[in-house]
Every structure is written in C-alpha cells, then in structure tokens.
Amino acid sequence: MLDWSVVFGRAVVAVLQFRYFAGATDKPMDFHCLGTAGYHPNRSRHTSCYCVPQCGLVLDAGTGLFRLTELIETDHLDILISHAHLDHIAGLTFLLDVLHCRSVAGRPVDQVRVFGEAAKLDAIQTHLFADLIFPAPLDVQWVPIDETPEFSAAGATVSWRRQPHPGGSVAYRLDWPAVASCQAKRLVYATDTSGLTDPQDIAWFGGDSDMAGGLPADSGVGAAASVPDLMVHECYFRDTHRQWAEKTGHSWTSRIAELAALIRPQRLLLTHINPLDESVDPVDSEKIRKTFYGELMIAQDGLKVSF
Ligand SMILES: [Zn+2]
Ligand SMILES: [Zn+2]
C-alpha cells in the first residue's frame, strides 16, 4: 500500500532540492578556493575556506571566508565545518561583515546554517564567541549532525564520515540529483586527516572497494554509487615528512597517491597546503601522477574549479 506521507515527503525534498539547485541547471558547478593553507596564512594563502556559490555551500570557515562576500549568489548559506581547529573556524567571526555588506547591497542573506559535530559546535559557541573574544552575537542556526548520518544541505544529500585527526574531524560527501539538463554530481571534501583507506571508506567515497581489499558481506555500504566528480583532499606534507604527518593526523604525498588510485575521482584538488612551503609544487605531485590519470590540481587562493 502507498504510504502517502513518504510520497509527500519525497516530493517536498525534490521541490526544495530544485529550489536550491535551480540556478545551476544548465552550467557546471564552480568550486571556489577562498583559503587553501593549513594552520596559518602566508603571503599567498589564507586558511581553509571553499564555496560553491550556485547552491550556497561553504566548506569550512578559516580566514579565507572574508572573500565570500562578492561570490554569494543565494539568499541562504549552508556552512559545513570539518572540525573546530582555528584554521577552519576563525572566519566565522567575519560573517558579520559579510552579511552586513550583502544587506547594504540590497541582496541580503536570510538564512545561515552551520553544520558540524555537536561537540565542535559547542566549543565554537563557548570559546570563539565568548564575550571576551568576540563580543557580538551571530545570527546563524547551529545544526549538529551526530544523529543524522545523512541530511540535506545546499540542495544536496550530504553524508559524513569520521576521520583520524587530533580531536577528530569529518569528511563530507555531497550528492546533487540530476535536474533538467544537469547531470547528478558528487563532491567529496576530506581535510585534516591522515587518510581513510579501509574498503568501507573507499566505497563511501565512490571508489573501488575490491581494489582496497574487498568489503565484508555485512558491511552495509552497498555498491558504490559513483566516483566523485570532484574530490578535494588535504595534502599537508611531502613524503620526506611522513612521520610528522602521522604524528599530527595529516596526509602525505604517497598516501594521496594510494587513495587516488583506489577512488579514481574525475578531478582531484589537493588542499590544506603547508604554509611554510611556498614552492610551486609543495606536494611532489609527480609521484601522484604515476598512479592517478585524472585531472590533478594543487589548490591556490582564487582558483575556481568547474565540475
Ligand atoms: Zn587544518
Ligand atoms: Zn585540524
């Protein structure tokens, strides 16, 4: 028998997804790099912040967030926080100016939601927004994700996975449905992690779990839906500093080469770059190109990647 409440619920979700996604029906989505350094800014990089303006998505809120103002295309913002280390949250305090400038320009942002693990959101509100540190209230909705392995944000179905990192961090996977002439798209964002390499993790990203050793029959992961159209992954260290990567919960070049070969995304964007390394290729990317034949990019502030 038809459960009309389920049918109605799905129709509402479809309408909401169309509303959020309507601006991007006939063109690729644009992933903007607002801040691409880990830890602290340097002369050319601010700390972690990325956005997809067409759907109001912001990933992390490091110091690069001040660059968001001129890119906003929606009346809402959904900010997904990977964890509460300062290089991923300091820019939340810049939101007051971002929102003020939009209001003055006559294009206000009516709703801002900040998603993350409950303990991290609590720490941000208690410490970053303590009166003695930032004495102004922020008009946002704080949305804990702990009880919802899957939720809707920025017109996408979002799922997340815990990662190894001091204090813990989460990776996000966003799946946008096919709408009109625009194909379904998958974006994964994994930063501040030494890398998820178990077969279940590889399948979750959309890669080939068999190559990673296969899944147990009761894994519950199921068949991979699709490889990512864009995979954004940190690579803070070269192989020469692998011991520091493992000690601090970050990724190194050979770990990325291993992941890229298993997941095989269409495009791989390396982020959270070591701010002390200002060379053109801070991750020895040729080592990754030996096992990965997709499009490989090293993030820079101001870079836009269409997917
Ligand atoms: Zn970081
Ligand atoms: Zn961190």
Side-chain angles (χ1 to χ4, degrees):
M1 198 176 121
L2 259 183
D3 183 339
W4 285 103
S5 64
V6 171
V7 173
F8 179 72
R10 284 183 180 157
V12 168
V13 168
V15 167
L16 286 174
Q17 286 182 323
F18 183 78
R19 178 209 159 201
Y20 277 80
F21 203 58
T25 51
D26 58 354
K27 58 180 181 179
M29 301 181 86
D30 294 328
F31 184 92
H32 289 259
C33 299
L34 310 185
T36 59
Y39 190 7
H40 60 80
N42 64 17
R43 286 174 294 186
S44 58
R45 298 180 190 274
H46 270 274
T47 59
S48 300
C49 188
Y50 307 88
C51 73
V52 180
Q54 289 108 315
C55 56
L57 171 68
V58 179
L59 293 166
D60 274 332
T63 58
L65 188 136
F66 79 94
R67 293 179 165 134
L68 182 63
T69 309
E70 60 202 48
L71 292 170
I72 294 173
E73 295 181 16
T74 52
D75 61 2
H76 61 275
L77 293 174
D78 284 339
I79 304 175
L80 308 185
I81 299 291
S82 64
H83 65 313
H85 288 167
L86 278 172
D87 53 326
H88 300 260
I89 64 164
L92 286 171
T93 61
F94 308 160
L95 269 176
L96 281 187
D97 254 2
V98 170
L99 300 177
H100 170 71
C101 289
R102 297 297 298 186
S103 291
V104 168
R107 289 171 294 166
V109 175
D110 298 328
Q111 181 192 61
V112 180
R113 300 188 294 179
V114 182
F115 296 81
E117 289 181 286
K120 314 295 169 60
L121 298 185
D122 285 347
I124 292 168
Q125 292 170 84
T126 302
H127 301 294
L128 187 63
F129 289 97
D131 277 348
L132 292 180
I133 293 178
F134 191 77
L138 191 62
D139 185 18
V140 303
Q141 295 175 34
W142 302 94
V143 186
I145 61 174
D146 306 51
E147 306 299 324
T148 51
E150 214 169 81
F151 58 91
S152 292
T157 299
V158 184
S159 64
W160 57 277
R161 212 157 175 87
R162 289 198 168 90
Q163 304 179 120
H165 188 63
S169 64
V170 299
Y172 289 105
R173 187 188 74 198
L174 295 98
D175 286 292
W176 285 275
V179 176
S181 60
C182 193
Q183 294 180 338
K185 292 181 190 295
R186 170 170 288 185
L187 165 68
V188 294
Y189 175 67
T191 190
D192 292 63
T193 172
S194 50
L196 294 170
T197 56
D198 287 345
Q200 289 95 336
D201 300 321
I202 300 302
W204 180 79
F205 281 119
D208 188 341
S209 61
D210 286 340
M211 289 177 64
L215 287 174
D218 60 350
S219 67
V221 171
S226 61
V227 298
D229 297 281
L230 175 61
M231 179 171 179
V232 182
H233 202 289
E234 78 131 289
C235 189
Y236 194 89
F237 289 107
R238 300 172 192 256
D239 282 352
T240 46
H241 289 90
R242 175 176 172 166
Q243 77 277 18
W244 276 106
E246 292 177 319
K247 195 171 180 176
T248 59
H250 287 289
S251 297
W252 62 98
T253 304
S254 292
R255 171 51 58 88
I256 297 303
E258 177 188 1
L259 281 172
L262 292 170
I263 298 169
R264 291 184 285 185
Q266 304 262 353
R267 303 165 190 82
L268 174 60
L269 177 65
L270 300 179
T271 57
H272 201 269
I273 304 299
N274 181 350
L276 296 181
D277 191 334
E278 299 191 61
S279 63
V280 175
D281 185 357
V283 298
D284 295 328
S285 59
E286 282 309 312
K287 287 186 180 174
I288 301 168
R289 288 198 169 91
K290 286 179 183 167
T291 58
F292 174 65
Y293 309 108
E295 190 177 350
L296 177 63
M297 296 158 282
I298 299 170
Q300 297 176 358
D301 289 23
L303 179 69
K304 180 180 79 173
V305 178
S306 298
F307 68 102

